[in-house]
Amino acid sequence: MTSTTYWNYVVIHVSWTCPSLRKQVEKVLGEQEVWASDLGVVLARLCDPTGLQSRDTSRTSRLFKGTETDTFHHHHHHHHHPSADLRRLFHRLTIASSLSILCFSLVYLLTGCCESQLTENSEIKPPTREFFASGSGWPSERNRTSKEVTTAAGEGAFSGHPGLEVNSSGKEWTATRRLPQALIIGVKKGGTRALLEFLRLHPDIRALGSEPHFFDRHYARGLDWYRSMMPKALDGQIVMEKTPRYFVTVETPARVHAMSQDVKLIVVVRDPVTRAISDYTQIISKTPDIPPFESLAFKNRTTGQIDSLWSPLWIGLYAQHLERWLAWFPRTQIHLVSGERLISDPAGELGKVQDFLGLQRIVTDKHFYFNKTKGFPCLKKPEGSSKPHCLGKTKGRTHATIDPELMQRLRDFYKPHNERFYQMAGQDFGWQ
């Protein structure tokens, strides 16, 4: 290596590690040239000017002097001995190089630590999703929330981080309020409350506990208000609500269609005569002074003319109401639930509803037992609860007593309407 090449390397190194010394080096280089063999000795001494001398002062001096003397005699016509300024410059260069290497090493170590920590954080594994409490066969309780409890869905995701759940790729999901994808639209006193409570056992269903009556009473408040009423749900969960009056309200089908053409509709139907008596029983529990059932159901009891516009009877004209919905939605988007079978075989009816919603059959017969006193199915004791869960006192109560002759007249009245409804529904519900 020539001295010129060596000095070029020095200049480049100084320019990278210590730009402030570059001008000084270039100034010295412009005044004198030193051979590479001389620089080796000088650098060795400058790198450890005190330690080297303390270990072997005489040897270092002889080596340094000998080198200098030989160099001087060999090149006394062409070269000058390095000056004190050059030695100080190389001393600074050595210190600057050492510091730069030290700083680079620290930056590398710190960057490596931070990167490894980020890598560890990004590899958080998702918690295993448990549909059932340990050993009980009972689903998680996260769907047991009403309208007020609209905190993050997915309780049981990360404790301390409501509303967040991690999927298989480590991505966080945030629970949000969405418009419903399914509606229980009817019918009143058909078993809608029971169906809703049973469906809320499913971990992939987020259901509003109260009846919002958006499409029949509060439509002017807008979809933003309606969305704010919904419980928060994760991606993949189905949001739903139930308002039985939707089925019989004339304007509702078009309004629901305007919200979503793909919404799934569920109707719980029941023998219209039994349903009417149940409806009347609820009415007299709130207003005991109303007239008897017979005087309200018949315009003229002597002729037997029935007042089909009286609400408890009008609701039972299922074919008339279903026809309105079929004008806006295909039959495949409307699922009919038998109110009678919902009592006698709740798991069977729930299985069909879960299939209709595209969900796994999580709610099964092991979640129910039959309460003989109420004549109604109840939910078995859930984990953490001391009592089984039955519907309220208003469910399964004793009906008002109606004259059998009048009941037969009502059955005769509903018979053609029921047969038409069977044809539209594609199934026979077996009402007498």
Side-chain angles (χ1 to χ4, degrees):
M1 178 187 292
T2 64
S3 61
T4 304
T5 305
Y6 190 91
W7 279 111
N8 288 340
Y9 171 79
V10 171
V11 172
I12 294 172
H13 184 70
V14 171
S15 301
W16 180 71
T17 59
C18 191
S20 62
L21 296 177
R22 179 174 181 175
K23 291 184 178 180
Q24 297 183 43
V25 173
E26 290 177 344
K27 180 179 179 181
V28 173
L29 291 179
E31 297 175 354
Q32 55 186 317
E33 182 178 358
V34 181
W35 291 101
S37 59
D38 299 332
L39 288 173
V41 177
V42 174
L43 286 174
R45 186 174 180 182
L46 290 176
C47 287
D48 189 6
T50 57
L52 187 63
Q53 291 177 0
S54 63
R55 288 192 299 270
D56 192 355
T57 308
S58 60
R59 182 174 178 274
T60 305
S61 300
R62 287 196 305 271
L63 176 62
F64 193 72
K65 287 180 179 180
T67 305
E68 291 177 348
T69 304
D70 293 342
T71 305
F72 176 79
H73 286 296
H74 191 273
H75 303 288
H76 70 280
H77 293 294
H78 305 285
H79 305 291
H80 298 281
H81 184 67
S83 64
D85 291 338
L86 183 60
R87 294 180 183 179
R88 286 194 295 269
L89 176 60
F90 272 95
H91 193 187
R92 294 176 183 175
L93 174 61
T94 303
I95 295 175
S97 301
S98 301
L99 290 176
S100 64
I101 294 173
L102 178 61
C103 292
F104 180 82
S105 301
L106 290 174
V107 171
Y108 178 82
L109 290 174
L110 291 175
T111 305
C113 292
C114 294
E115 185 177 5
S116 63
Q117 186 175 6
L118 289 174
T119 303
E120 291 176 1
N121 291 338
S122 65
E123 293 177 353
I124 297 175
K125 293 183 178 181
T128 302
R129 188 174 187 178
E130 295 182 357
F131 286 149
F132 300 95
S134 176
S136 67
W138 193 258
S140 63
E141 292 292 312
R142 73 177 173 194
N143 289 308
R144 292 182 172 279
T145 54
S146 61
K147 175 180 67 175
E148 306 85 23
V149 186
T150 51
T151 56
E155 298 121 280
F158 276 159
S159 58
H161 296 276
L164 294 181
E165 187 169 294
V166 178
N167 66 8
S168 58
S169 64
K171 175 184 176 182
E172 288 184 347
W173 283 339
T174 303
T176 57
R177 301 187 196 279
R178 302 194 304 267
L179 292 172
Q181 298 134 287
L183 298 172
I184 300 177
I185 59 175
V187 296
K188 181 183 178 183
K189 307 308 298 180
T192 57
R193 171 55 60 181
L195 177 62
L196 184 72
E197 291 300 316
F198 297 161
L199 285 175
R200 291 174 75 182
L201 294 174
H202 201 293
D204 287 334
I205 290 179
R206 296 289 295 160
L208 182 62
S210 60
E211 298 176 4
H213 284 277
F214 172 67
F215 294 105
D216 60 333
R217 296 177 184 173
H218 305 297
Y219 192 66
R221 296 190 177 190
L223 289 176
D224 289 339
W225 175 86
Y226 186 43
R227 183 185 295 106
S228 71
M229 299 290 289
M230 296 299 114
K232 288 184 177 180
L234 298 171
D235 188 26
Q237 290 183 313
I238 294 177
V239 179
M240 65 188 309
E241 63 107 333
K242 76 108 177 171
T243 303
R245 188 175 171 82
Y246 291 164
F247 187 62
V248 299
T249 305
V250 175
E251 302 85 5
T252 300
R255 292 174 175 178
V256 173
H257 188 270
M259 177 194 73
S260 172
Q261 300 179 17
D262 301 319
V263 66
K264 294 190 175 183
L265 308 170
I266 302 173
V267 188
V268 186
V269 291
R270 181 183 181 187
D271 183 338
V273 176
T274 308
R275 197 222 64 83
I277 297 172
S278 178
D279 199 349
Y280 175 77
T281 301
Q282 184 181 52
I283 294 173
I284 61 175
S285 68
K286 298 178 180 179
T287 53
D289 297 334
I290 65 169
F293 179 89
E294 294 83 350
S295 61
L296 295 173
F298 294 90
K299 291 182 178 179
N300 189 323
R301 189 171 178 179
T302 304
T303 60
Q305 185 180 6
I306 293 176
D307 186 2
S308 60
L309 295 180
W310 182 44
S311 179
L313 299 183
W314 177 69
I315 292 174
L317 301 174
Y318 301 144
Q320 176 179 323
H321 306 308
L322 181 60
E323 188 175 32
R324 232 180 358 256
W325 285 91
L326 289 176
W328 292 93
F329 296 94
R331 176 67 182 84
T332 54
Q333 278 181 236
I334 303 175
H335 180 71
L336 301 174
V337 177
S338 168
E340 288 80 13
R341 285 196 292 271
L342 188 61
I343 295 175
S344 62
D345 182 21
E349 286 300 300
L350 262 292
K352 296 175 184 177
V353 175
Q354 291 171 90
D355 293 342
F356 172 68
L357 296 175
L359 299 175
Q360 182 182 354
R361 288 197 176 194
I362 299 296
V363 185
T364 61
D365 54 358
K366 61 186 174 183
H367 297 105
F368 303 98
Y369 78 96
F370 191 78
N371 187 312
K372 295 181 180 179
T373 302
K374 295 177 70 70
F376 210 84
C378 296
L379 303 176
K380 291 181 180 178
K381 184 176 67 173
E383 185 75 14
S385 175
S386 59
K387 296 181 180 180
H389 176 66
C390 289
L391 298 178
K393 296 179 180 180
T394 60
K395 308 301 178 183
R397 58 189 163 196
T398 304
H399 289 176
T401 303
I402 308 296
D403 186 345
E405 181 185 350
L406 296 179
M407 288 188 63
Q408 187 57 49
R409 288 186 181 182
L410 288 176
R411 294 192 186 284
D412 294 340
F413 165 75
Y414 277 117
K415 186 176 181 179
H417 296 281
N418 291 342
E419 290 177 351
R420 180 167 173 247
F421 177 68
Y422 295 164
Q423 291 178 352
M424 296 172 67
Q427 62 184 109
D428 189 338
F429 290 89
W431 300 322
Q432 300 298 324

